[in-house]
């Protein structure tokens, strides 16, 4: 059985520019809107559940609503799709729904670990579009890689995505494409920026390193900070103290002499120095 993404030792991320057709752009927007809706729906149910729990009186209708929300949050994918039937549209990626729910739960886990991150908030409608899907592999595959999953490379200019089909792309590094047969794809993000350009970001993992490791070991160097100079290392190299003030001392003295002469001339002519036009010629 092949290893999961988390168990593979080397990870890498790659982002490529894609060129979808008009129909593919429509599908990307449809999935992006559905992803935002599912995230906001879960956030709305959690907030309503929190507010209802503040009611201390044993009101039957409140207790019933609390139990209903708890049941919905246990299986949000099924419950949200049953209430909002348009989420069962065949154009929508089922893995997009799972990733939207997973991202919401991850936001709460992040809040519990790092309180400065804040609680999850509603996602606003923006010009940008984005949703995530996952690369799935058949159970009979011995070596999952970049060419036999649901997200796969057809060649160096085309890739296959769930629900979107074949799409032209560019910008994949040669070192990644060369190791496509022993590298697997994880979470994949399809996005559009504010300028209307489309991108696909892929999480990659492999048993082999993506970058050559330099095994040259250099001896450690000791550094001594002192008052005679800035620092002295164990190899005998000395870095002198910064002399910034001394480097500008001559220019500063010259400017001060010019200003002094102009002040004496203004005093001799019985006028304030601030009205002297020569003051601005320094």
């Amino acid at each position: 059985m092949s290893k999961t993404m988390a168990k593979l030792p080397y990870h890498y991320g790659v982002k490529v520019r894609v060129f979808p057709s008009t129909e593919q752009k429509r599908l990307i927007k449809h999935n992006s809107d559905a992803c935002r809706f599912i995230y906001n729906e879960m956030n709305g149910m959690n907030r309503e559940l929190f507010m209802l729990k503040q009611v201390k009186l044993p009101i039957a209708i409140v207790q019933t609503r609390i139990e209903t929300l708890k049941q919905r949050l246990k299986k949000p994918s099924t419950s949200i799709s049953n209430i909002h039937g348009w989420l069962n549209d065949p154009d929508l990626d089922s893995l997009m729904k799972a990733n939207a729910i997973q991202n919401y739960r991850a936001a709460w886990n992040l809040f519990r670990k790092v309180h400065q991150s804040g609680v999850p908030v509603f996602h606003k409608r923006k010009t940008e579009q984005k949703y995530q899907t996952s690369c799935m592999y058949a159970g009979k595959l011995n070596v999952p890689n970049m060419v036999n999953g649901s997200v796969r490379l057809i060649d160096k200019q085309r890739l296959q995505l769930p629900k979107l089909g074949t799409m032209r792309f560019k910008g994949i590094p040669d070192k990644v494409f060369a190791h496509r047969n022993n590298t697997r794809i994880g979470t994949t993000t399809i996005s559009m920026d504010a300028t209307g350009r489309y991108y696909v970001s892929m999480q990659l993992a492999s048993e082999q390193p993506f970058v050559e490791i330099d095994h040259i070991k250099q001896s450690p160097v000791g550094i001594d900070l002192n008052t005679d100079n800035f620092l002295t290392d164990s190899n005998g190299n000395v870095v002198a103290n910064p002399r910034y003030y001394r480097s500008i001392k001559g220019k500063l003295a010259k400017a001060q002499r010019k200003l002094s002469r102009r002040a004496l001339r203004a005093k001799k002519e019985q006028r304030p120095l601030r009205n002297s036009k020569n003051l601005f010629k320094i």
Side-chain angles (χ1 to χ4, degrees), residues 151-168:
V151 179
R152 60 182 180 272
L153 299 181
I154 300 175
D155 51 38
K156 204 172 182 180
Q157 294 182 345
R158 295 179 300 161
L159 75 156
Q160 181 82 15
L161 291 169
K163 297 296 181 180
L164 299 179
T166 304
M167 191 179 301
R168 188 167 59 90

Side-chain angles (χ1 to χ4, degrees), residues 86-262:
W86 64 272
L87 290 175
N88 296 318
D89 193 323
D91 290 341
L92 296 179
D93 188 355
S94 60
L95 297 174
M96 171 274 299
K97 304 176 186 178
N99 277 278
I101 296 169
Q102 182 179 357
N103 290 338
Y104 180 76
R105 291 172 175 170
W108 270 112
N109 292 334
L110 182 62
F111 168 71
R112 295 185 182 100
K113 294 179 181 178
V114 186
H115 293 289
Q116 290 83 352
S117 61
V119 299
V121 297
F122 289 102
H123 287 178
K124 299 180 180 179
R125 180 181 296 178
K126 299 180 180 179
T127 306
E128 298 87 347
Q129 302 171 13
K130 182 175 69 172
Y131 75 94
Q132 288 183 332
T133 185
S134 300
C135 181
M136 305 301 292
Y137 294 94
K140 297 180 180 180
L141 289 176
N142 295 326
V143 184
N145 52 43
M146 298 179 68
V147 296
N148 56 14
S150 60
V151 179
R152 60 182 180 272
L153 299 181
I154 300 175
D155 51 38
K156 204 172 182 180
Q157 294 182 345
R158 295 179 300 161
L159 75 156
Q160 181 82 15
L161 291 169
K163 297 296 181 180
L164 299 179
T166 304
M167 191 179 301
R168 188 167 59 90
F169 78 98
K170 71 172 184 178
I172 189 168
D174 293 334
K175 60 184 178 182
V176 174
F177 188 77
H179 295 84
R180 61 188 181 278
N181 292 326
N182 52 21
T183 300
R184 66 178 298 170
I185 302 175
T187 303
T188 303
T189 304
I190 299 95
S191 61
M192 185 200 76
D193 62 10
T195 61
R197 293 176 294 187
Y198 290 83
Y199 297 92
V200 170
S201 304
M202 295 177 286
Q203 295 179 356
L204 308 178
S206 176
E207 292 277 5
Q208 301 178 359
F210 293 92
V211 181
E212 295 183 1
I213 301 175
D214 188 4
H215 296 285
I216 299 176
K217 295 183 179 180
Q218 298 180 353
S219 58
V221 178
I223 296 177
D224 175 33
L225 303 177
N226 51 71
T227 56
D228 294 336
N229 47 61
F230 184 66
L231 64 86
T232 304
D233 61 18
S234 57
N235 295 330
N237 300 319
V238 178
V239 178
N241 286 320
R243 302 292 182 182
Y244 175 73
Y245 175 74
R246 293 186 181 182
S247 64
I248 66 171
K249 187 176 181 180
K251 295 181 180 179
L252 180 61
K254 183 178 180 180
Q256 287 176 338
R257 288 194 297 269
K258 290 173 64 175
L259 183 61
S260 178
R261 290 196 299 269
R262 290 171 184 173

Side-chain angles (χ1 to χ4, degrees), residues 6 19 26 35 49 52 61 76 102-103 131 149 177 183 270 276:
F19 304 92
R26 184 189 69 81
C35 178
L49 182 62
L52 291 175
I61 190 172
Q102 182 179 357
N103 290 338
Y131 75 94
F177 188 77
T183 300
Q270 296 182 355
S276 176

Side-chain angles (χ1 to χ4, degrees), residues 54-114:
Q54 307 306 310
V55 180
K56 304 303 180 181
L57 298 176
I59 303 175
I61 190 172
V62 173
Q63 298 300 321
T64 303
R65 181 61 179 172
I66 289 176
E67 293 300 323
T68 302
L69 291 174
K70 287 182 177 179
Q71 293 298 323
R72 289 181 183 177
L73 289 172
K74 286 182 180 179
K75 296 181 178 180
S77 179
T78 305
S79 62
I80 295 176
S81 298
N82 290 339
I83 296 174
H84 305 280
W86 64 272
L87 290 175
N88 296 318
D89 193 323
D91 290 341
L92 296 179
D93 188 355
S94 60
L95 297 174
M96 171 274 299
K97 304 176 186 178
N99 277 278
I101 296 169
Q102 182 179 357
N103 290 338
Y104 180 76
R105 291 172 175 170
W108 270 112
N109 292 334
L110 182 62
F111 168 71
R112 295 185 182 100
K113 294 179 181 178
V114 186

